[in-house]
Short mmCIF file of all heavy atoms in Angstrom, two decimals:
data_model
loop_
_atom_site.label_atom_id
_atom_site.label_comp_id
_atom_site.label_asym_id
_atom_site.label_seq_id
_atom_site.Cartn_x
_atom_site.Cartn_y
_atom_site.Cartn_z
N LEU A 126 130.11 165.18 45.18
CA LEU A 126 129.60 163.90 45.67
C LEU A 126 129.63 163.85 47.20
O LEU A 126 128.74 163.27 47.84
CB LEU A 126 130.39 162.74 45.07
CG LEU A 126 130.20 162.55 43.55
CD1 LEU A 126 131.04 161.39 43.05
CD2 LEU A 126 128.74 162.34 43.21
N ASP A 127 130.66 164.46 47.79
CA ASP A 127 130.69 164.57 49.25
C ASP A 127 129.48 165.38 49.74
O ASP A 127 128.83 165.04 50.73
CB ASP A 127 131.97 165.26 49.71
CG ASP A 127 133.18 164.32 49.71
OD1 ASP A 127 132.98 163.10 49.53
OD2 ASP A 127 134.31 164.81 49.88
N LEU A 128 129.19 166.48 49.03
CA LEU A 128 128.06 167.33 49.42
C LEU A 128 126.74 166.57 49.25
O LEU A 128 125.84 166.70 50.09
CB LEU A 128 128.06 168.60 48.58
CG LEU A 128 126.93 169.60 48.86
CD1 LEU A 128 126.98 170.09 50.31
CD2 LEU A 128 127.00 170.79 47.90
N PHE A 129 126.63 165.78 48.20
CA PHE A 129 125.44 164.96 47.99
C PHE A 129 125.21 164.04 49.19
O PHE A 129 124.11 163.98 49.75
CB PHE A 129 125.60 164.15 46.70
CG PHE A 129 124.61 163.05 46.53
CD1 PHE A 129 123.33 163.32 46.08
CD2 PHE A 129 124.94 161.73 46.84
CE1 PHE A 129 122.39 162.29 45.93
CE2 PHE A 129 124.01 160.70 46.70
CZ PHE A 129 122.73 160.99 46.24
N ALA A 130 126.25 163.33 49.59
CA ALA A 130 126.12 162.43 50.73
C ALA A 130 125.83 163.22 52.01
O ALA A 130 125.05 162.78 52.86
CB ALA A 130 127.40 161.62 50.89
N ASP A 131 126.44 164.38 52.14
CA ASP A 131 126.25 165.22 53.33
C ASP A 131 124.80 165.69 53.44
O ASP A 131 124.23 165.75 54.53
CB ASP A 131 127.20 166.43 53.24
CG ASP A 131 127.39 167.10 54.58
OD1 ASP A 131 127.99 166.48 55.47
OD2 ASP A 131 126.94 168.26 54.73
N GLU A 132 124.19 166.01 52.29
CA GLU A 132 122.81 166.50 52.30
C GLU A 132 121.82 165.42 52.73
O GLU A 132 120.71 165.73 53.17
CB GLU A 132 122.43 167.01 50.90
CG GLU A 132 123.08 168.34 50.51
CD GLU A 132 122.42 169.53 51.18
OE1 GLU A 132 121.66 169.35 52.15
OE2 GLU A 132 122.69 170.67 50.74
N LEU A 133 122.21 164.16 52.60
CA LEU A 133 121.30 163.09 53.00
C LEU A 133 121.20 162.94 54.52
O LEU A 133 120.35 162.21 55.02
CB LEU A 133 121.76 161.75 52.40
CG LEU A 133 121.58 161.62 50.89
CD1 LEU A 133 122.21 160.33 50.39
CD2 LEU A 133 120.11 161.68 50.51
N GLU A 134 122.08 163.63 55.24
CA GLU A 134 122.06 163.59 56.70
C GLU A 134 121.69 164.97 57.24
O GLU A 134 122.27 165.97 56.82
CB GLU A 134 123.42 163.17 57.25
CG GLU A 134 123.87 161.79 56.79
CD GLU A 134 123.03 160.69 57.40
OE1 GLU A 134 122.45 160.91 58.49
OE2 GLU A 134 122.95 159.61 56.79
N LEU A 135 120.74 165.02 58.15
CA LEU A 135 120.30 166.31 58.69
C LEU A 135 121.46 167.11 59.26
O LEU A 135 121.53 168.33 59.11
CB LEU A 135 119.25 166.09 59.79
CG LEU A 135 117.83 165.79 59.31
CD1 LEU A 135 116.94 165.49 60.50
CD2 LEU A 135 117.26 166.96 58.51
N HIS A 136 122.38 166.43 59.94
CA HIS A 136 123.48 167.13 60.59
C HIS A 136 124.82 166.88 59.92
O HIS A 136 125.87 167.16 60.49
CB HIS A 136 123.54 166.74 62.07
CG HIS A 136 122.26 167.00 62.80
ND1 HIS A 136 121.78 168.28 63.00
CD2 HIS A 136 121.35 166.16 63.34
CE1 HIS A 136 120.62 168.21 63.65
NE2 HIS A 136 120.33 166.95 63.87
N GLY A 137 124.79 166.33 58.70
CA GLY A 137 126.02 166.17 57.93
C GLY A 137 126.79 164.92 58.30
O GLY A 137 126.47 164.20 59.25
N LEU A 138 127.82 164.67 57.51
CA LEU A 138 128.69 163.50 57.70
C LEU A 138 130.08 163.96 58.13
O LEU A 138 130.71 164.75 57.42
CB LEU A 138 128.81 162.70 56.40
CG LEU A 138 127.57 161.93 55.95
CD1 LEU A 138 127.79 161.39 54.55
CD2 LEU A 138 127.27 160.80 56.92
N PRO A 139 130.59 163.48 59.24
CA PRO A 139 131.95 163.87 59.66
C PRO A 139 133.00 163.47 58.63
O PRO A 139 134.03 164.12 58.50
CB PRO A 139 132.16 163.13 60.97
CG PRO A 139 130.87 162.53 61.35
CD PRO A 139 129.94 162.59 60.20
N GLU A 140 132.73 162.39 57.86
CA GLU A 140 133.75 161.90 56.91
C GLU A 140 134.05 162.88 55.79
O GLU A 140 135.10 162.81 55.16
CB GLU A 140 133.29 160.57 56.30
CG GLU A 140 133.01 159.45 57.29
CD GLU A 140 131.58 159.53 57.82
OE1 GLU A 140 130.64 159.79 57.06
OE2 GLU A 140 131.44 159.36 59.05
N VAL A 141 133.13 163.82 55.52
CA VAL A 141 133.36 164.74 54.41
C VAL A 141 134.10 166.00 54.87
O VAL A 141 134.47 166.83 54.05
CB VAL A 141 132.04 165.14 53.71
CG1 VAL A 141 131.30 163.91 53.25
CG2 VAL A 141 131.17 166.00 54.61
N ASP A 142 134.29 166.15 56.17
CA ASP A 142 134.96 167.35 56.68
C ASP A 142 136.47 167.18 56.65
O ASP A 142 137.14 167.24 57.68
CB ASP A 142 134.48 167.66 58.11
CG ASP A 142 133.10 168.28 58.12
OD1 ASP A 142 132.72 168.86 57.10
OD2 ASP A 142 132.43 168.19 59.15
N ARG A 143 137.03 166.99 55.47
CA ARG A 143 138.46 166.70 55.38
C ARG A 143 139.29 167.90 54.97
O ARG A 143 140.48 167.93 55.20
CB ARG A 143 138.69 165.55 54.38
CG ARG A 143 138.03 165.76 53.02
CD ARG A 143 138.23 164.58 52.11
NE ARG A 143 137.41 164.67 50.91
CZ ARG A 143 137.45 163.80 49.92
NH1 ARG A 143 138.27 162.78 49.99
NH2 ARG A 143 136.67 163.92 48.87
N GLU A 144 138.70 168.90 54.33
CA GLU A 144 139.46 170.05 53.85
C GLU A 144 138.92 171.34 54.45
O GLU A 144 137.75 171.67 54.25
CB GLU A 144 139.39 170.14 52.31
CG GLU A 144 140.08 168.98 51.61
CD GLU A 144 139.87 169.04 50.09
OE1 GLU A 144 139.00 169.81 49.64
OE2 GLU A 144 140.58 168.33 49.38
N PRO A 145 139.74 172.10 55.19
CA PRO A 145 139.28 173.40 55.70
C PRO A 145 138.81 174.28 54.56
O PRO A 145 139.41 174.30 53.48
CB PRO A 145 140.53 173.97 56.39
CG PRO A 145 141.37 172.78 56.70
CD PRO A 145 141.11 171.79 55.60
N TRP A 146 137.76 175.04 54.81
CA TRP A 146 137.14 175.79 53.71
C TRP A 146 138.06 176.84 53.10
O TRP A 146 137.95 177.17 51.92
CB TRP A 146 135.83 176.44 54.19
CG TRP A 146 136.03 177.65 55.06
CD1 TRP A 146 136.02 177.68 56.41
CD2 TRP A 146 136.21 179.00 54.64
NE1 TRP A 146 136.21 178.96 56.88
CE2 TRP A 146 136.33 179.80 55.80
CE3 TRP A 146 136.31 179.64 53.41
CZ2 TRP A 146 136.53 181.17 55.76
CZ3 TRP A 146 136.51 181.01 53.36
CH2 TRP A 146 136.61 181.76 54.52
N ASP A 147 139.01 177.38 53.90
CA ASP A 147 139.87 178.44 53.37
C ASP A 147 141.20 177.90 52.84
O ASP A 147 142.13 178.67 52.62
CB ASP A 147 140.11 179.52 54.43
CG ASP A 147 140.72 178.96 55.70
OD1 ASP A 147 140.81 177.73 55.83
OD2 ASP A 147 141.10 179.76 56.56
N HIS A 148 141.28 176.59 52.65
CA HIS A 148 142.47 176.00 52.04
C HIS A 148 142.14 175.60 50.61
O HIS A 148 141.20 174.83 50.36
CB HIS A 148 142.93 174.77 52.82
CG HIS A 148 143.99 173.96 52.12
ND1 HIS A 148 145.25 174.45 51.87
CD2 HIS A 148 143.95 172.71 51.59
CE1 HIS A 148 145.95 173.53 51.24
NE2 HIS A 148 145.19 172.46 51.04
N LEU A 149 142.89 176.12 49.66
CA LEU A 149 142.68 175.80 48.25
C LEU A 149 143.57 174.62 47.88
O LEU A 149 144.79 174.78 47.78
CB LEU A 149 143.00 177.01 47.37
CG LEU A 149 142.80 176.82 45.86
CD1 LEU A 149 141.34 176.50 45.56
CD2 LEU A 149 143.25 178.06 45.10
N PRO A 150 143.01 173.41 47.71
CA PRO A 150 143.85 172.26 47.43
C PRO A 150 144.50 172.35 46.05
O PRO A 150 143.86 172.76 45.08
CB PRO A 150 142.87 171.08 47.50
CG PRO A 150 141.53 171.68 47.24
CD PRO A 150 141.58 173.07 47.77
N SER A 151 145.77 171.97 45.99
CA SER A 151 146.49 171.95 44.71
C SER A 151 146.15 170.68 43.95
O SER A 151 145.51 169.77 44.46
CB SER A 151 148.00 172.02 44.97
OG SER A 151 148.43 170.85 45.64
N GLU A 152 146.62 170.60 42.70
CA GLU A 152 146.41 169.39 41.92
C GLU A 152 147.08 168.19 42.59
O GLU A 152 146.53 167.09 42.61
CB GLU A 152 146.97 169.58 40.51
CG GLU A 152 146.66 168.43 39.56
CD GLU A 152 145.16 168.23 39.34
OE1 GLU A 152 144.41 169.21 39.40
OE2 GLU A 152 144.75 167.07 39.14
#
């Protein structure tokens, strides 16, 4: 859903950049 909202903006949404890509979030 974050990606869906991000795709609606040409340059993305800063609000969805909450997790570094190389960090695997735990439960």
